[in-house]
Structures are given as C-alpha cells and as structure tokens.
Amino acid sequence: MQRNSSPSQNKVPDAIQASRILDRVPGMVAVYNIQSGHYTYVNNSVQKILGYSPQDFLVGGFQFASSLVHPEDIQPLTRQNQKALVEANRKANKVHDNLPIVTFEYRIRHKNGTYRWLHTDGVVYDRDEKGTVTHVMNISIDITRRRERELYDAQARKQFEEKQQYLAAIVASSDDAIISKTLDGIITSWNKAAYRIFGFTAKEAIGQHITLIIPKEHRQEEERIVNTLKQGKHIDHFETVRITKNGKRILVSLSISPIKDDQGTIIGASKIARDITQQKLIEQTAQQSQERLQLAVDAGKIGIWDWDIQKNEIIWSDRVYEIHGVRKGKNIGELEKYRRFHHPEDAERINHAIQQAIAGIKPYQEEFRIITPSGKTRWIETKAVVIKDKSGKPRRMLGATMDITNRKNLEQQKDEFVGIASHELKTPVTSIKAYTQLLESKFSKEGNEKAALMLTKVNAQLNKLTALIGDLLDITKIETGKLEFYEEYFDFNEMVQEIVEEIQLTTTTHKLVMNLDQTKSVYGDRDRIGQVLTNFLTNAVKYSPYAQKIHISTKLSEEAICVSVRDFGIGIPKDSKDKVFERFFRVTTSSGQTFPGIGLGLYISSQIIKRQQGKVWVHSQKGKGSTFSFSIPIRRKAKKK
Ligand code: ADP
C-alpha cells in the first residue's frame, strides 16, 4: 500500500499516483479525445463493471464504447452529448469545468451479454487555447441495482393500482349494496346498488349514521352486529328488514365483515346487503303451489316416483308403496328389481315403452298389471316424463301412478255384458230375419205388394240391427284379443267395386263415383278390409245428407295400396279429427242435428287396419266434407302355414 511505502518511493510522478487512486474508486473513470474519438485514460474499475479491460477501451476507442450501449439508448445519448458540448464550447468558462456538463442514465452491455445500468457524469477535462473542449472525462457508476428496484416498485405499484381499480369496478357493478362504516356506525362508502336498493344517493348517505336504513324495531340488532364484529367475527346471510328512503320496508340478507387497519385493529365494517323481497315472494309462491300440488296428489291418491337413470335408483312416494303392497320405506333400488312387480304378460310392453320414452320416441303413458308380493293382481296407470340434462342426456324419469283396478274391473264387467248381450241378441235376430224374408217372398208371390213392401222395410231395419250387433261383438273380440283374421291373396279393386256396388243399392240419394288406380293383389283378410270400406261409405252417406256424390278412389304406390272415400258433408271440427277413431267417440254438432250411431265403427276400422299392418287417417274441413283413407302394405307375405 502507498501509505506504507518508503520516502524514496514518494517520488512517484503525480499522474501515476492519481491513476493508482482512480483505480481504487468503485466508479468508472474514462477520458477521451473528442476529435480522435480515442480514450486517453480508462481506470481499472471498468473491468469490474463491464468485464472488459481498460486496454479494450483504449484500443477500441469511443466507437467500441458506443457499440456496447443499448440500441434504445444510443440515440438520446449521442444527442444529449452533442448538445452539451456545443453549450460547453459556447460558454468556454473554465471556472465551471469541474461541474458536469451532461448527465445520463443508460444501459450498456457487459462482456457476459447482460445489460448494466450506468449513471454517467460528463465533465470537461481539457480545452485548447481558444477554449474549445478537447477532452471529456466520463465518471460512471453502476446503478443496475437501483434501477431494478425502481422497476420492481413501479410494477408493484401498477399491479396494486390495477387491483384497486378492479375492486372498485366490482363494487360499482355489484347488484348487492356494498356499504362500509366505522365502528361508531358512520357510513364511509356507499355503492350504486346501495343507492338503487335504499334510495339514498352516496352523497346523502356518507357521513350519516347507519340507522338511516335500520327501522326502529330492528335498531337493537346493530348493537349485536357491532359486538360480533369487535370479536373479529363475520356475519353471514343474516336475514332482516331494512328501510328505504321512501319508508318502504324490504327484506335483506346481510353479510358483514370487520375492516382492520395495518396493525390488525378493527376500525369498521363492510356490509353486503342483498334485497331478497322478490326472492322470498317467489319462495312463498313456490311453497304454496307445492302445497296445492301435494293436496291434488293426496286427493287423487296419486303415487309419485322418481328414477335416477344414471345411478339407476328408484324412489317411491308412500302411495306407490301402498299401491304395490310393499312396506313403506323398503329399498326398491334399481329398475331390474322393480320389474319383479310386472305381470309377465305386460312386462315386455312396459320395458319397450320405457326404452321408447328414454329415447324420446314416445311419451310414457301405460296401463298395465302388477303383482303384489302377496300375489294380488292390480291394474295401474302410469304417466312419466323424462328429464334431460343440458347436453340432452336423459337423467331422470319422473312419474305418477294410479291404482285403476276398480275401473278396469268395471270395464271388464261391461265388456263381458256387451259380449253376452250381443251374442244372445244375434240368434233371435237371425231367425227373425229369416222369417221376414220368407214372409216377404210369400206375400210377393201372392201379389200382396203392400205387405211385401212393409216387410222389405222391416228387413232393412233388421240389417241395421245386425250391423249394430256385429259391431258390439267385434268390440268384445277386440278387447279380449279374440278378433280373428282369415288372410289370403285377393284383388283389391275387385273388392272395392263389389262393396261400392252393394252400398249403392242401399242409397237413392247419393251417387258413388269410382276412380280406381291399376289393381294389385294384396294379402290380408278380404272381409275385414271390406268391412272398413263399408264403414267409410255408410258414414259418408250418413254425414252428407245434402250432398249427391261420394268419390271413391284407389292409389297404388311402391309400398302400399290406399283407398279414399270423399264426401261433401258436414265435415269434422279440427279438435275432433284425431278422436273419431277412439272408442264411443261421436262429434256433437252445434246445429243440434242428430245422426244415428254409437261411435264404434271407426274404432273397429282402425283396429282392423292396425292388425293388417296398415294405416288409417282422415282429412276434413268443417262444413266442406271429409276424406277417410286407409292403406294396406303390398309387400306382406302370406304366413307360412
Ligand atoms: P258412428 O257413426 O256410429 O257414430 P263412427 O265410429 O263410425 O261412429 O264415427 C265416429 C264419429 O266420427 C261419428 O259420430 C261422427 O261424429 C264422425 N264421423 C265419422 N265419419 C264422418 C264423416 N264422413 N263426416 C263427418 N263426421 C264423421
């Protein structure tokens, strides 16, 4: 160290001595010639700060130094430098030359490629005799640390401000009132929703005591709230009543949290208030309709069940247990277990109906038999809806079940009665018919025309009676599944022609006009199919009392042959159109006009066509007429015998 050196060594020249001192300062010192752009001196600290040796700068000159400056900083640096020199030359006042003429902060590249921040003061080092600056000394210190801290602070501040803005936006846009107050209850903030809910503007509310919105009868609550908060506790969803500016009492749900200062001392509270008046009203209405529904369910002895399709779990209401004769609360479990109750003859149909309902093909509505654990057979009627999730996947099936055993028994008794009665009627009517025909031909032969004519009329009435008995017998057969079919190949048009001619003989008022497509041999029960056409034709005559014509047409397509009977009569109102094929359904005319009949013909017709794998339908316009049609598939093959 210089301090310990001998006196003889004190003769070291001043410049060297100065250079030694300068090498020890933490800053970078460099002197350069403005004209040549060469450094005349660079201290050793450059090595520490930038990784390069002083030699690198002495050789590379000002150009080398500039190449290390960050591209974004080089231009402002050069500009500032030049400006400072012009100014220094103009002043040419050496007195100020120990003060920096320029100061910059900029980035410069370290030998390892990273950038360092430097703070550099440029000082006039030397001038020529005219006072023009010839040498400048740059004194630089590394401020990278400081700069990084500043940058970090700026980022942190920005983040904080953004967060503040974000929170402010939430508070402003909230549908719930957000209010803060001191522990003494003085309101310190009040958002837009608070204004909307309570009617006071922020200006009116801030500074006021919170009792502004607390009705008299609820004031004691505030004390309790403050005490809870003082213990640092939150209050969640506390339902109470508050009062608005115009005196209206509203139901609110309050959530209150303590506000703490930096030291954690509770200094106030923030309150979120939600107006739940409407919600309560909806809840009440829902509860009322639930009660009403329950009443209806109880009164109608309706059982409710819920099948979670995904979990395959069935839940029954008490009534369903009762209907199935099972102890209440017993676990029914999955669908497979429930199937045990199904009557073997109905099981497959029910299973199919459930699958169709789940697939969305047909709503579930079935009447079927169950067998209770004690072996009793019961008829039940069940309707259900399939509930799907957002993606359209079936989740649940919700159903209502009623015990219809009594109704079914009555129906069965009635069917049996109709069956027996019509059967018993058939024999005497047939013999009466035979005797009238005999008498008619006898009177005709004897020339007693008057008596013969009367018997013809008796005969016509007997035909009607026979048809009626025939219908009643058919119904019984359909209901008991005993309607039999004798199938064969037959010429369709020929059958149509035959029947049309037959019906033409029974009417003098209507002309039956045929328009038949080329014929085809079809497979089916000729008589039964003919019975359907007869029904269409007699209806057409009956329900068009003021018309003269009826059109009959056949049409052959690739799949089926179709026959249509068109009349120009009273027509069918829209809402009854699909019902005419139901059992005992008859349209009641508003004009009071009555037509004989019992509403069975079309039901029987539709059942026959269904069993022949065909379709029946009707187009009709009230007051204009109707067209009844049915089709029979032509590809049906004869059954192997
Ligand atoms: P019925 O004629 O014995 O009452 P149907 O089953 O043949 O029984 O017909 C059911 C109902 O459909 C009839 O009562 C009638 O209201 C209506 N209907 C049937 N055919 C026609 C038609 N061609 N024009 C208008 N209404 C008809």
Side-chain angles (χ1 to χ4, degrees):
M1 296 298 278
Q2 295 304 316
R3 258 181 286 148
N4 303 331
S5 48
S6 63
S8 63
Q9 283 171 320
N10 275 350
K11 294 214 173 82
V12 180
D14 281 355
I16 297 171
Q17 185 73 13
S19 146
R20 279 190 186 155
I21 295 166
L22 284 176
D23 280 342
R24 283 170 201 279
V25 299
M28 217 169 90
V29 180
V31 178
Y32 71 94
N33 182 326
I34 293 167
Q35 253 92 49
S36 70
H38 278 112
Y39 285 97
T40 53
Y41 175 76
V42 179
N43 75 344
N44 263 341
S45 306
V46 72
Q47 183 89 42
K48 242 201 227 148
I49 296 175
L50 294 178
Y52 292 103
S53 68
Q55 198 59 26
D56 290 330
F57 282 85
L58 291 172
V59 174
F62 200 59
Q63 212 177 352
F64 171 68
S66 302
S67 74
L68 300 178
V69 175
H70 192 284
E72 281 175 22
D73 296 339
I74 188 80
Q75 241 187 21
L77 201 77
T78 319
R79 213 179 305 129
Q80 239 175 305
N81 215 2
Q82 279 165 357
K83 218 170 120 195
L85 273 175
V86 172
E87 188 72 358
N89 283 338
R90 199 169 57 82
K91 285 192 180 153
N93 186 348
K94 281 197 175 191
V95 180
H96 295 296
D97 277 355
N98 43 6
L99 289 177
I101 55 166
V102 65
T103 297
F104 7 76
E105 290 189 355
Y106 60 102
R107 285 158 288 180
I108 187 157
R109 201 169 63 243
H110 188 277
K111 201 172 178 180
N112 68 12
T114 63
Y115 279 96
R116 318 289 307 167
W117 274 96
L118 290 190
H119 175 105
T120 298
D121 284 331
V123 183
V124 172
Y125 184 75
D126 208 358
R127 295 178 186 260
D128 63 12
E129 59 281 0
K130 285 189 219 137
T132 311
V133 179
T134 56
H135 290 78
V136 170
M137 176 165 69
N138 277 349
I139 306 152
S140 313
I141 50 170
D142 186 347
I143 55 160
T144 313
R145 277 263 184 90
R146 194 195 87 202
R147 272 296 192 156
E148 276 170 1
R149 160 71 31 90
E150 276 171 9
L151 201 71
Y152 176 79
D153 286 350
Q155 268 171 358
R157 201 177 319 118
K158 202 169 153 228
Q159 271 176 5
F160 177 73
E161 278 166 7
E162 274 174 5
K163 212 166 151 186
Q164 285 289 95
Q165 280 169 355
Y166 181 67
L167 285 175
I170 292 176
V171 170
S173 65
S174 162
D175 279 337
D176 296 334
I178 301 177
I179 301 165
S180 60
K181 59 173 189 185
T182 65
L183 274 187
D184 302 332
I186 302 298
I187 299 167
T188 48
S189 80
W190 187 265
N191 74 340
K192 263 193 203 155
Y195 161 62
R196 220 172 31 241
I197 294 173
F198 298 108
F200 295 101
T201 62
K203 220 171 168 188
E204 286 168 334
I206 293 174
Q208 297 283 334
H209 195 265
I210 194 71
T211 45
L212 183 71
I213 55 164
I214 308 180
K216 272 199 197 88
E217 65 275 19
H218 285 274
R219 296 260 159 97
Q220 78 289 357
E221 270 171 20
E222 183 60 12
E223 204 180 320
R224 266 205 335 261
I225 292 173
V226 172
N227 283 338
T228 314
L229 289 172
K230 277 184 180 161
Q231 294 164 25
K233 288 185 191 154
H234 296 253
I235 295 164
D236 283 327
H237 308 300
F238 169 56
E239 288 185 11
T240 181
V241 177
R242 289 294 177 256
I243 191 164
T244 67
K245 189 177 176 182
N246 56 25
K248 203 176 128 195
R249 276 165 168 72
I250 54 169
L251 272 172
V252 291
S253 162
L254 297 181
S255 292
I256 310 171
S257 313
I259 302 176
K260 295 176 184 170
D261 66 7
D262 291 348
Q263 273 81 48
T265 318
I266 295 160
I267 51 164
S270 78
K271 211 184 248 215
I272 299 178
R274 175 169 297 179
D275 183 353
I276 54 166
T277 316
Q278 200 61 23
Q279 182 192 327
K280 277 279 159 191
L281 213 67
I282 293 168
E283 275 172 20
Q284 270 168 10
T285 323
Q287 167 121 21
Q288 276 166 4
S289 54
Q290 173 75 25
E291 281 164 8
R292 257 182 246 133
L293 179 69
Q294 191 59 45
L295 206 69
V297 165
D298 292 346
K301 294 204 161 186
I302 299 168
I304 305 288
W305 52 264
D306 187 352
W307 174 39
D308 187 322
I309 301 172
Q310 305 292 315
K311 289 195 212 147
N312 193 8
E313 219 174 67
I314 300 173
I315 296 169
W316 279 359
S317 77
D318 290 353
R319 178 68 189 144
V320 187
Y321 281 105
E322 238 171 75
I323 294 173
H324 287 75
V326 178
R327 188 173 42 80
K328 271 176 208 166
K330 196 165 181 252
N331 186 16
I332 290 311
E334 59 268 36
L335 183 71
E336 290 67 32
K337 263 194 198 162
Y338 169 62
R339 289 216 180 101
R340 283 185 319 223
F341 291 96
H342 291 162
H343 190 286
E345 283 174 27
D346 297 341
E348 204 185 303
R349 174 168 57 91
I350 297 310
N351 197 19
H352 182 65
I354 291 174
Q355 297 312 323
Q356 284 207 314
I358 292 174
I361 298 168
K362 221 174 120 203
Y364 185 77
Q365 178 171 3
E366 293 293 325
E367 290 182 1
F368 57 95
R369 284 161 293 177
I370 52 163
I371 299 171
T372 67
S374 62
K376 277 191 200 136
T377 301
R378 277 193 188 145
W379 271 98
I380 62 171
E381 182 182 0
T382 292
K383 282 185 194 178
V385 283
V386 175
I387 297 165
K388 294 177 177 168
D389 63 12
K390 273 188 207 137
S391 65
K393 219 169 160 194
R395 286 272 164 206
R396 286 163 65 199
M397 213 166 155
L398 209 63
T401 293
M402 272 194 306
D403 184 342
I404 54 162
T405 315
N406 287 344
R407 195 188 87 199
K408 277 284 174 184
N409 286 343
L410 278 174
E411 272 175 22
Q412 207 176 339
Q413 283 168 12
K414 188 193 72 201
D415 286 343
E416 276 167 14
F417 167 76
V418 172
I420 295 166
S422 44
H423 195 77
E424 292 302 316
L425 280 169
K426 206 180 157 189
T427 331
V429 169
T430 317
S431 46
I432 295 172
K433 207 169 145 65
Y435 285 121
T436 28
Q437 274 166 357
L438 226 89
L439 275 175
E440 192 193 341
S441 66
K442 189 172 177 280
F443 284 127
S444 268
K445 269 185 208 152
E446 288 170 6
N448 190 347
E449 292 302 326
K450 212 172 162 191
L453 190 68
M454 274 158 81
L455 282 168
T456 313
K457 284 187 178 160
V458 171
N459 201 29
Q461 292 305 315
L462 279 172
N463 280 345
K464 280 188 187 165
L465 193 58
T466 318
L468 189 62
I469 294 167
D471 276 357
L472 289 174
L473 279 170
D474 282 350
I475 276 291
T476 319
K477 284 180 195 156
I478 289 170
E479 298 307 324
T480 52
K482 286 183 187 137
L483 191 66
E484 284 181 5
F485 289 88
Y486 303 97
E487 295 177 323
E488 59 184 340
Y489 282 103
F490 66 93
D491 186 311
F492 196 78
N493 274 358
E494 201 182 273
M495 180 273 295
V496 174
Q497 263 162 335
E498 216 170 84
I499 285 173
V500 170
E501 279 160 19
E502 209 174 283
I503 301 294
Q504 184 65 79
L505 291 177
T506 64
T507 171
T508 46
T509 47
H510 293 76
K511 171 120 188 66
L512 275 52
V513 185
M514 275 184 282
N515 179 14
L516 308 185
D517 207 353
Q518 82 191 102
T519 190
K520 180 97 189 174
S521 170
V522 269
Y523 185 75
D525 187 323
R526 191 182 195 269
D527 288 348
R528 286 289 182 197
I529 295 172
Q531 182 184 346
V532 177
L533 182 59
T534 307
N535 182 231
F536 281 10
L537 287 170
T538 48
N539 276 351
V541 174
K542 183 162 68 172
Y543 296 107
S544 68
Y546 307 113
Q548 283 88 39
K549 272 187 185 162
I550 288 162
H551 290 265
I552 301 100
S553 57
T554 55
K555 201 160 173 37
L556 181 69
S557 74
E558 265 182 43
E559 294 91 32
I561 186 144
C562 158
V563 57
S564 299
V565 175
R566 181 172 181 204
D567 67 58
F568 303 91
I570 61 166
I572 300 164
K574 229 184 191 166
D575 55 351
S576 302
K577 221 184 72 176
D578 295 326
K579 295 192 188 137
V580 293
F581 297 103
E582 286 172 16
R583 211 161 68 135
F584 297 117
F585 182 84
R586 309 204 69 218
V587 179
T588 43
T589 51
S590 48
S591 63
Q593 207 172 7
T594 51
F595 298 91
I598 52 169
L600 282 182
L602 287 179
Y603 172 69
I604 296 168
S605 298
S606 69
Q607 292 297 317
I608 291 172
I609 298 301
K610 204 166 135 191
R611 291 279 303 275
Q612 295 284 293
Q613 297 169 26
K615 282 186 198 131
V616 351
W617 66 96
V618 58
H619 290 295
S620 186
Q621 216 179 341
K622 204 180 165 214
K624 294 257 166 73
S626 317
T627 306
F628 278 86
S629 313
F630 71 83
S631 66
I632 299 286
I634 49 177
R635 290 200 199 291
R636 270 188 80 195
K637 289 271 165 337
K639 265 192 233 141
K640 282 187 192 116
K641 294 212 169 125

